[in-house]
Amino acid sequence: MTGTDRDAAAPGPDGPAEPEHLELAGGFAPVTREQWLEAVNGVVRKSGKIGEDAAPTAGVDTLTRTDADGIRVAPLYAAEDVEGLPDTGVPGAWPYTRGPLTDGHVPEGWDVRQRHAGTDPKAVREALLADLECGVNSVWLRVGEGGVPISELATTLDGVYLDLAPVALDAGIDAVDAAQAYLDLAEHFGVEDAEFRGSLGVDPIGLRARAGNGPDLGTVLPVARRVAETFPLVRAITVDASVVREAGGSAGQELGWSLAAGVAYLRTLTENGLDVATAARLLEFRFTATPEQFPTIASLRAARRLWARVLEASGVTDVPQYQHAVVSEALFTRRDPWVNMLRGTVAGFAAGVGGADAVTVPPFDAALGQSLPFSRRIARNTQGLLIEESHLARVIDPAGGSYYVEHLTDDLAQVAWAFFQEIEAAGGALAALESGFLDGKVAEVRAKRESDVARRKAPLTGVSEFPDLHEKPVERTPLPEPVERGGLPLYRPAEAYEAYRDRSDAMLAETGSRPTAFLATLGPLAAYTARVGFARNLLGAGGVEATEAGPTGTAQQAGPTEAAAEVVEKFRAAGTPVAVLCSSDTLYGERAAETASALREAGATRILLAGKPKEEVPGVDGYLFAGCDALAVIDDVVTTLEGPK
């Protein structure tokens, strides 16, 4: 039925009859892929990036990017792009790509899991009870070193209904002792073994990946056997793959590592008497959810498909992967932490749409120290809004049918499986850690990430982009020192910029002023406005205050300058040895060299230019432009301003 036919449909007794088939674009002529490609070429051609005789796909090629896994991400995906890809099945059925449940998360939503890390049992108890009373479904609790003492578990969890609100333990080196103590709480609180819930978090492989050492895999056996025999709703072992992403690794590496670690646990358990299905039921997989929403969605879907393939090869097809998606605190910034609310919201959205069973969104101030009740409230309400008001749980597999997501899911699955095979060829998960194989592979991707952050190709709002040097610092009580990482490093993208901001704050406290650079504006206002804003933004990311000082030395608009002498006069009033020329390319050709020479004679020790001229400008030491190494520029300026040590 076409759009015209629909309008003519005869009404039924209760109103207009429903059409047999609805064609939303029925009134429009079909558009071919060739037409779309030509339209794209026409737009890109105007930018000068392609010529008149460019290939049909040239325009699209300029809009196609390559991610950290080497996957090419195109600007458009259509039905023909997913032809020939493996069948994703249906929700609740093998290979579980579309989720482990037939009805998805409808209508209650996923498990909202809040993390608690504190050493005072009574304070932690009050905080977690408040969370559970206000929308949280489960608790992720730090126990042992850096958390509540194992001996105080009963006190900490007093009042928690452990048959309704499961607790996930994070006990590091004390994981086995904490697990046994937690299982003992079933009898202590009078909960039936068959109804007792929780995730014990035993993960010697993950501990080795973080700390560089840890117990043997065999230490999981007593806990695993006890759970398998007595507690059907408890998961004993956590396969924590998030350590790879926290170290700067890629999504494909995280997925491949999860398979290697999961297989290592399966082998240990089955070689010691457990059948594959029972062993698989004991595992919980932890993945990173990031603000890159589509890769996160595709990663979770690919993870279920890949693990289903592993179990199928082991003779099991009815045990879906249980997933805990975590928004890593390493992705949060300490400067302008309010933006972390947006990061957490987008990442939490992606985790829910991707079908994670449990999702943790940290409080926005988690990177600063002990979170306040207000910030914990915002964190739990973030997920509550996604479930209750955005209605993400009203649709079964909301990402299903997206040609982009389906294609990316397959791409990630292929990359991850290849990486898993590399790890297995290297001797398996433990051997890959001990030999440095995993560290080396992750380091390669981390170097690319560091370059993207330095060049602001991966912008950090409030830190590398749009910094506010006058923001009031957000202060929190420091948390206990984390367990020392002797394995894979912790990579915080914002850390490099924040270190310069710290130096700027220290100089402000010591001298009364921040590091300052003078913006030498050339010509009329229209010639330099854009580049003044760009330079101010870039330098501010490193704590350098950019000023257009007037004759009195106060920060104010410098106004147009018609001669080098005027620029020099204003430069001297600024009282800084660093100057940045800001103007149009045309005026640079006419006045930049002369002005740079005059500034040098006036005492400028570092002269930069905002822009990327086709030829080097005499007297200029460096350039600020989109895609330049902003951290290198900032270091150069700050080092100049701090002077010799």
Side-chain angles (χ1 to χ4, degrees), residues 114-128 131 140-142 146-148 329 334 337 362-377 474-482:
Q114 190 87 310
R115 180 171 171 79
H116 287 267
T119 57
D120 184 345
K122 292 183 179 179
V124 172
R125 176 179 177 272
E126 291 178 5
L128 65 86
D131 278 344
W140 187 13
L141 182 64
R142 179 67 186 172
V148 296
E329 295 174 12
R334 292 171 181 164
F364 71 88
D365 56 358
L368 293 166
Q370 184 69 52
S371 297
L372 298 181
F374 166 74
S375 49
R376 289 198 299 272
R377 175 190 174 200
V474 178
E475 298 180 355
R476 294 290 184 266
T477 302
L479 287 170
E481 287 296 321

Side-chain angles (χ1 to χ4, degrees), residues 287-300:
F287 298 103
T288 304
T290 78
E292 295 179 288
Q293 57 185 344
F294 290 111
T296 295
I297 294 168
S299 292
L300 295 172

Side-chain angles (χ1 to χ4, degrees), residues 334-338 462 468-474 501 514:
R334 292 171 181 164
R335 297 287 177 162
D336 203 355
W338 313 101
D468 180 5
L469 295 186
H470 306 291
E471 68 172 309
K472 184 178 179 180
V474 178
R501 294 284 294 277
R514 296 187 182 279

